C-alpha cells in the first residue's frame, strides 16, 4: 500500500484530481490518499496558501499528486507551485509532449521530452520595486553551475536510460552572456560524458520557430526555468493543447506530479475540463513508484479513449458533450476491459 499526498487544488483542480484518482484506482494499485490543501483552498481552510501540514505530508510520503493552484497576477501571495518546488528542491521539471492518434493537432508523431530547470533564475522570487512610486522594478535571475549541471545531467541520464538519441540545449547565451553563457558552457561539458547521445544547442528564439516549423527534429530538450515554462506550453500546443500535457517535479527526496496547465478559472465548475493531463501525470507517478504495468494500463486506456471523438471532452472535439466525469469513466472502462 502506497501513501500519496493528494492536493485537489483550485479551479478545475478538484474535478480533474477526482477523475485521476478514479483511473488510478481502476488499475488496482492500492494507494492510501493523504488529502491536503494548498493555494486558495489552503487559505480557505487553514488561512495559509501552503499550510504546514501539507508540507509535512509531502515530506513524509515523498510523492504527491497535485491539481493546479491559482496564483494572482502581479500581486498577492507568491506562487505556491514555486514554493513547493523550492521547499523540496524539485530541480527537475519533466514535461513530455507526445502526439496521440485522434487528437486534432498540426503534427503527427511528436515525441519531445522537456527538462526544465525548476528552481533557479527568474522564478526564485528575488524581486522588488526600486521606490514607492514603482518607477522601476527588478527581478534577479541567478543561474548556478551546480543547478545547471544537475538539470543537464538529468536530461542526458534520461536520454541514455530511455533510448533517446539527442539532447538539445536551449539558451540565450548570445545576449545573456553570463547566465546563459554559464548554462551553455556547463551543458556542453556534461554532454562530453555522454558520447553515445548527440548534443546540439539552439538559441531560444530560433528554437521557438524551429519547434513550430518542424517539431519532429527534436528529441530531448534541456533549458532554464523561464524558457522551459514557455516552451512546454508551446510543445503542448503541438500535440493538441494543455489538456493532454502532463508534468513531474522531481528531486532527490520527493516528487510532485501535476498537469502543465493551470486552474483554468474560465471553465471551472462546469464538468468540461479535460482530465487527460493529470491522468497522464498519474501514469508518470505510477512509473516513479515502480508500478510500470499499471502505468502502461493507463497509457493504453487513454490512447483508446482519445482515439474516439465521441469519448473526449470538448477541448478536443467541440461537438462532444462528454464531461470530465464521463471521460474518466470511459478510461476506467477501457482499463477494465483490456
Ligand atoms: P491555464 O493553463 O489555467 O489555462 C489556459 C487555457 O487553457 C484556458 O483557456 C483554459 O480553459 C485551457 N485549459 C487549461 N487546462 C485545461 C483542461 N484540462 N481542459 C480544457 N482546457 C484547459 O492558464 P492561465 O489561465 O494562464 O492560468 C490560470 C491560473 O492557473 C493562474 O492563477 C496561474 O497562476 C495558475 N497556473 C498554475 C499552474 C500549476 O498549478 N502548476 C500552472 C500554470 C498556471
Ligand atoms: Mg507554465
Amino acid at each position: 500500500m502506497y501513501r500519496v499526498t493528494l492536493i485537489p487544488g483550485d479551479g478545475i483542480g478538484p474535478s480533474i484530481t477526482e477523475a485521476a484518482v478514479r483511473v488510478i484506482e481502476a488499475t488496482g494499485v492500492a494507494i492510501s490518499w493523504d488529502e491536503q490543501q494548498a493555494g486558495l483552498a489552503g487559505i480557505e481552510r487553514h488561512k495559509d496558501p501552503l499550510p504546514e501540514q501539507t508540507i509535512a505530508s509531502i515530506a513524509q510520503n515523498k510523492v504527491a499528486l497535485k491539481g493546479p493552484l491559482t496564483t494572482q497576477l502581479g500581486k498577492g501571495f507568491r506562487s505556491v507551485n514555486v514554493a513547493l518546488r523550492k521547499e523540496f528542491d524539485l530541480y527537475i521539471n519533466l514535461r513530455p509532449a507526445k502526439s496521440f492518434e485522434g487528437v486534432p493537432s498540426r503534427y503527427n508523431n511528436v515525441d519531445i521530452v522537456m527538462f526544465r530547470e525548476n528552481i533557479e533564475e527568474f522564478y526564485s522570487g528575488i524581486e522588488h520595486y526600486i521606490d514607492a512610486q514603482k518607477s522601476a522594478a527588478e527581478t534577479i535571475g541567478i543561474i548556478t553551475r551546480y543547478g545547471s549541471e544537475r538539470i543537464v545531467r538529468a536530461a542526458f541520464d534520461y536520454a541514455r536510460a530511455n533510448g533517446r538519441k539527442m539532447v538539445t540545449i536551449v539558451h540565450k547565451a548570445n545576449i545573456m552572456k553570463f547566465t546563459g553563457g554559464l548554462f551553455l558552457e556547463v551543458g556542453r561539458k556534461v554532454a562530453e560524458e555522454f558520447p553515445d547521445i548527440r548534443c546540439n544547442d539552439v538559441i531560444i528564439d530560433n528554437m521557438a520557430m524551429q519547434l513550430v516549423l518542424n517539431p519532429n527534429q527534436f528529441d530531448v530538450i534541456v533549458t532554464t526555468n523561464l524558457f522551459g515554462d514557455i516552451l512546454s506550453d508551446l510543445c503542448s500546443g503541438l500535440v493538441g493543447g494543455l489538456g493532454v500535457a502532463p508534468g513531474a517535479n522531481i528531486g532527490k527526496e520527493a516528487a510532485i506530479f501535476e498537469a502543465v496547465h493551470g486552474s483554468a478559472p474560465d471553465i471551472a465548475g462546469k464538468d468540461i475540463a479535460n482530465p487527460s493531463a493529470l491522468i497522464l501525470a498519474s501514469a508518470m507517478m505510477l512509473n516513479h513508484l515502480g508500478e510500470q504495468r499499471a502505468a502502461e494500463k493507463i497509457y493504453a486506456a487513454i490512447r483508446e479513449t482519445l482515439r474516439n471523438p465521441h469519448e473526449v471532452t470538448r477541448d478536443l472535439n467541440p461537438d462532444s458533450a462528454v464531461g470530465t466525469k464521463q471521460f474518466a469513466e470511459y478510461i476506467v472502462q477501457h482499463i477494465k476491459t483490456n
Side-chain angles (χ1 to χ4, degrees), residues 252-289:
K252 298 261 185 282
E253 300 298 328
I256 300 179
F257 297 83
E258 65 179 348
V260 169
H261 64 71
S263 54
D266 52 334
I267 57 166
K270 299 182 182 158
D271 191 44
I272 56 175
N274 184 349
S276 297
L278 195 65
I279 293 171
L280 289 165
S282 306
M284 293 172 79
M285 183 185 88
L286 289 173
N287 264 326
H288 178 83
L289 291 171

Side-chain angles (χ1 to χ4, degrees), residues 53-330:
Q53 53 257 62
T54 302
I55 293 178
S57 164
I58 299 170
Q60 187 174 26
N61 300 326
K62 316 234 178 280
V63 179
L65 184 64
K66 187 187 80 55
L69 304 172
T70 296
T71 313
Q72 285 180 302
L73 305 179
K75 59 176 183 186
F77 59 83
R78 289 201 177 283
S79 163
V80 176
N81 297 307
V82 171
L84 279 170
R85 291 163 188 173
K86 277 179 102 169
E87 176 75 31
F88 294 103
D89 197 25
L90 308 175
Y91 65 97
I92 301 168
N93 196 216
L94 171 56
R95 293 182 158 181
K98 198 168 163 44
S99 303
F100 285 96
E101 198 190 318
V103 172
S105 57
R106 291 184 190 278
Y107 299 98
N108 299 314
N109 305 319
V110 172
D111 186 3
I112 294 170
V113 179
M114 168 90 58
F115 276 76
R116 161 190 174 193
E117 200 289 320
N118 213 16
I119 309 272
E120 300 194 332
E121 198 211 17
F122 295 116
Y123 288 64
S124 54
I126 312 169
E127 51 181 358
H128 63 109
Y129 288 107
I130 66 155
D131 56 23
Q133 289 72 44
K134 300 187 177 176
S135 52
E138 178 182 38
T139 299
I140 297 175
I142 294 171
I143 286 190
T144 68
R145 202 165 279 283
Y146 170 74
S148 305
E149 215 224 279
R150 64 180 182 167
I151 189 64
V152 177
R153 189 172 295 283
F156 276 95
D157 281 340
Y158 176 94
R160 188 175 269 173
N162 292 276
R164 297 276 177 163
K165 304 273 179 286
M166 185 172 86
V167 174
T168 302
I169 303 169
V170 178
H171 63 88
K172 188 75 186 177
N174 52 332
I175 302 298
M176 295 184 281
K177 293 185 188 294
F178 291 80
T179 49
L182 186 145
F183 187 77
L184 178 58
E185 182 212 313
V186 170
R188 283 177 172 160
K189 196 133 197 288
V190 170
E192 287 171 11
E193 295 171 40
F194 295 82
D196 48 320
I197 314 279
R198 272 172 51 214
C199 175
N200 65 351
D201 48 78
V202 181
I203 298 174
I204 178 68
D205 29 359
N206 179 25
M207 187 67 185
M209 189 273 289
Q210 293 290 343
L211 274 168
V212 171
L213 216 50
N214 176 18
N216 298 99
Q217 65 184 300
F218 298 108
D219 191 349
V220 175
I221 295 169
V222 63
T223 189
T224 46
N225 207 339
L226 177 61
F227 296 158
D229 191 1
I230 298 166
L231 284 187
S232 51
D233 272 41
L234 190 156
C235 287
S236 84
L238 300 172
V239 299
L242 284 168
V244 293
N249 304 280
I250 305 170
K252 298 261 185 282
E253 300 298 328
I256 300 179
F257 297 83
E258 65 179 348
V260 169
H261 64 71
S263 54
D266 52 334
I267 57 166
K270 299 182 182 158
D271 191 44
I272 56 175
N274 184 349
S276 297
L278 195 65
I279 293 171
L280 289 165
S282 306
M284 293 172 79
M285 183 185 88
L286 289 173
N287 264 326
H288 178 83
L289 291 171
E291 296 287 345
Q292 272 74 21
R293 278 195 52 202
E296 201 33 64
K297 276 188 201 172
I298 293 183
Y299 286 126
I302 260 214
R303 278 196 294 269
E304 213 172 324
T305 312
L306 291 176
R307 211 177 285 143
N308 186 343
H310 305 295
E311 293 190 0
V312 298
T313 43
R314 66 177 206 187
D315 55 312
L316 300 182
N317 174 12
D319 298 328
S320 166
V322 172
T324 310
K325 275 197 169 72
Q326 182 60 46
F327 180 93
E329 213 43 56
Y330 285 130

Side-chain angles (χ1 to χ4, degrees), residues 19-41:
V21 166
R22 280 270 301 124
V23 169
I24 294 169
E25 281 173 355
T27 67
V29 174
I31 295 183
S32 146
W33 298 102
D34 179 6
E35 188 173 323
Q36 299 290 339
Q37 309 302 326
L40 297 179

